[in-house]
Amino acid sequence: MIDLRRLRSEPEFVLAALGRRGIDLAPVEQVLELDRQQREAARRRDEVRNQVRTISADVGRLFKEGRKDEAGALQAQSRALGEQEKALDAEAEALSERIRTALLVIPNLPHADAPDGASEADNPELRKVNFDPDGYGPHQRVPHWEIGKELGILDLERGAKLSGSMFVMYRGGGAALVRALIQLGLDRNADAFEEIRPPTLVRTETMISTGHLPKFADDAYHVERDDLWAIPTAEVPLTSLARDEVLDEADLPSRFMAYTPCYRREAGSAGRDTRGLLRVHEFDKVEILAYATAAQAPALLVEMVGRAEATIAGLGLAYRVIEICTGDMGQSHHRSFDIEVYAPGVDQWLEVSSISWFSDYQARRANIRYRPTGEDGAPGKGTEILHTLNGSALAVPRVWAAVVETHRRPDGQIAVPEMLRPYLGGRELLSAGPSR
RNA sequence: GGAGCGAUGGCAGAGCGGACGAAUGCAGCCGCCUUGAAAGCGGCCGGGCCGAAAGGCCCCGGGGGUUCGAAUCCCCCUCGCUCCGCCA
């Protein structure tokens, strides 16, 4: 969530920044007013509490000295003050709760350099790589679901039979290709990121930390009986790794990666991109994440985009990098880039990675801090909220689709990109038949 | 799933109704001593909120209750450990 103190001290700045997102600012102004009321109530409560404490100490002393009558009188007085304190506390608490609820749905401030814009249409394209619209032959203009069926590596009918539409099943070489892509995604980042295998069912607090709850509850699978949520991305458990912890500045940046299945109800996108692998309820993804100081974050963001990009390029795919404008940013984002891969069979640009800097927005929700290092190398004073960044290193289904479509040969077989061969036992081709 | 025990500062660990935000030890930091280091000695050493400051308030796993007063008593929850059961 945004910094309430900053909202209080620089309201014009915060309102202007949020205004760039094109959202309704009334709730933000309301928080400002509630905050004024809350502090006043808390101040009055604290005064009364102080009196109660002082009197109670006196009561104890008087009892010890055997002055029971005087003590009894003070007890009565303190009891009355206690009633008052209770009422003031309830008032302050109610206000805090309203503020917290409102704050949870107010989005992050966009970075000053994030481009202005109202929607997806205003996202500037930063670069387009490897793309020649006329360079694709008719053999590549076949959608992956047809290729998958022809080669027996993708079985959409049976996926739907088991779990319903938008659940998919890979088989044979297709399943091996999934595993190969996961392994590739991990290996390419293992030089700098510690691998984590987190739980994929998490508690409500864990979903709140990243901003996936309360606002987007309809998009997530919820296991009612145990009150657990199926993670929509490894970002969720990775961000909460350090929840309620205080790290040392010397340990930053701290980097983690995880392969996990990801679960999404896609409630808001019914009927869109429903064919094949374009949008599915369960998919595999390798995620990379960093905890950092504010100063370290910009360079990390560039590095993480570069990592995701290099993997896509290494697979011989055409792609473009776009920056997300203020009107299209996710709630928690401070600055964000997408990588879209071109899939010739469906003739579409598919989002395969979104790399974002969250400033301290998530870390404030998750209460992740660090102890700054002083100039002399000794631990500095106090603690600061750190910054989080994360992005997909490799999202399997769409990359799978682009690989299969891009590398389909005129004879219908798939030429395995060189980078992937070690992960497929050295195989150079995926074909139909027993060796598939 | 059943039974029992536990949760206190970076760690270990006292406290079990009234100067307790919390003894003590270890770790850390700063001085003294030393050619340097160790040892020794002295000092410092949790976090959050409000406030210009002085200062005030909150936090002993979480929530509720009893009391003039709760780390301490009661209730609920969560987590951990041990034993039994079950199990890939």
Side-chain angles (χ1 to χ4, degrees):
Chain A
M1 58 194 134
I2 61 167
D3 185 359
L4 180 59
R5 270 183 292 181
R6 186 161 194 202
L7 175 62
R8 190 186 300 147
S9 61
E10 307 172 52
E12 322 74 29
F13 174 86
V14 172
L15 285 166
L18 287 173
R20 293 179 63 212
R21 281 177 173 266
I23 59 161
D24 175 18
L25 295 176
V28 187
E29 280 159 351
Q30 217 209 328
V31 166
L32 224 32
E33 176 51 32
L34 289 171
D35 176 54
R36 266 190 288 275
Q37 296 173 14
Q38 195 278 333
R39 278 182 302 154
E40 175 57 22
R43 194 186 55 74
R44 282 168 30 213
R45 176 200 59 201
D46 287 355
E47 269 173 28
V48 175
R49 260 187 195 161
N50 181 235
Q51 292 176 41
V52 170
R53 287 174 59 122
T54 309
I55 293 172
S56 292
D58 288 342
V59 171
R61 195 171 21 248
L62 290 171
F63 268 124
K64 267 188 194 145
E65 293 169 6
R67 296 152 72 182
K68 290 218 170 73
D69 291 353
E70 293 169 68
L74 280 183
Q75 278 184 349
Q77 193 187 342
S78 182
R79 199 174 301 132
L81 282 170
E83 295 301 314
Q84 225 186 92
E85 189 240 290
K86 217 172 230 173
L88 284 168
D89 185 49
E91 187 188 336
E93 270 313 303
L95 285 163
S96 294
E97 188 51 39
R98 284 177 67 188
I99 291 170
R100 209 182 72 88
T101 307
L103 234 33
L104 279 179
V105 294
I106 292 173
N108 198 4
L109 312 188
H111 189 276
D113 294 343
D116 281 304
S119 74
E120 197 178 336
D122 301 318
N123 292 339
E125 178 180 298
L126 301 185
R127 51 188 171 274
K128 192 179 270 178
V129 180
N130 231 349
F131 181 62
D132 172 9
D134 304 320
Y136 295 94
H139 58 280
Q140 291 168 293
R141 295 296 185 181
V142 180
H144 59 275
W145 52 86
E146 287 178 22
I147 302 172
K149 190 168 190 175
E150 179 182 287
L151 297 181
I153 57 177
L154 182 65
D155 192 338
L156 296 173
E157 288 78 6
R158 289 201 176 79
K161 176 166 82 178
L162 298 180
S163 304
S165 72
M166 293 169 79
F167 280 95
V168 300
M169 188 176 106
Y170 303 91
R171 52 198 310 170
L177 179 55
V178 169
R179 244 181 329 110
L181 287 169
I182 292 167
Q183 190 71 46
L184 174 73
L186 289 169
D187 283 358
R188 288 191 58 88
N189 296 292
D191 59 309
F193 293 78
E194 181 190 352
E195 183 175 353
I196 302 292
R197 176 43 252 233
T200 54
L201 293 178
V202 300
R203 313 177 130 165
T204 299
E205 305 100 87
T206 306
M207 291 282 279
I208 286 178
S209 294
T210 39
H212 290 90
L213 286 179
K215 212 172 172 179
F216 304 105
D218 285 348
D219 293 324
Y221 286 97
H222 185 211
V223 183
E224 301 285 344
R225 187 164 151 157
D226 298 291
D227 193 18
L228 290 169
W229 300 81
I231 59 168
T233 159
E235 167 191 344
V236 170
L238 288 183
T239 301
S240 281
L241 277 192
R243 190 166 73 216
D244 295 322
E245 293 184 21
V246 181
L247 312 180
D248 284 327
E249 182 173 357
D251 295 331
L252 300 176
S254 184
R255 305 150 178 259
F256 300 96
M257 65 176 177
Y259 150 68
T260 65
C262 302
Y263 300 92
R264 302 188 180 180
R265 292 187 67 233
E266 300 292 355
S269 38
R272 241 167 58 200
D273 303 331
T274 49
R275 294 215 63 180
L277 298 174
L278 298 181
R279 188 177 294 278
V280 293
H281 287 312
E282 175 182 342
F283 64 97
D284 297 297
K285 180 161 67 63
V286 175
E287 183 81 0
I288 53 181
L289 174 141
Y291 297 124
T293 64
Q296 293 166 340
L300 273 165
L301 182 63
V302 171
E303 181 197 325
M304 286 164 73
V305 171
R307 282 175 176 271
E309 196 177 338
T311 303
I312 296 301
L315 289 171
L317 304 175
Y319 68 93
R320 63 185 186 188
V321 180
I322 61 176
E323 174 155 17
I324 308 304
C325 72
T326 52
D328 189 36
M329 269 186 180
Q331 163 168 287
S332 307
H333 296 170
H334 182 51
R335 201 171 184 194
S336 195
F337 297 91
D338 276 3
I339 297 174
E340 296 183 342
V341 76
Y342 181 71
V346 294
D347 189 26
Q348 279 184 49
W349 292 94
L350 307 176
E351 180 187 329
V352 292
S353 183
S354 182
I355 297 104
S356 304
W357 172 15
F358 300 84
S359 67
D360 55 5
Y361 188 87
Q362 291 183 325
R364 181 169 294 105
R365 285 173 172 243
N367 190 28
I368 311 173
R369 293 165 295 167
Y370 70 94
R371 199 178 301 284
T373 307
E375 286 161 38
D376 47 359
K381 289 195 70 175
T383 58
E384 298 200 31
I385 311 260
L386 52 71
H387 281 217
T388 55
L389 303 100
N390 70 249
S392 358
L394 200 151
V396 170
R398 292 177 184 168
V399 172
W400 193 101
V403 164
V404 164
E405 293 177 6
T406 302
H407 297 300
R408 183 165 189 262
R409 308 195 313 178
D411 66 4
Q413 304 187 83
I414 310 299
V416 176
E418 212 166 304
M419 193 183 259
L420 271 179
R421 289 180 196 160
Y423 298 101
L424 287 167
R427 275 157 77 181
E428 295 178 12
L429 288 174
L430 290 184
S431 1
S435 68
R436 63 165 93 113

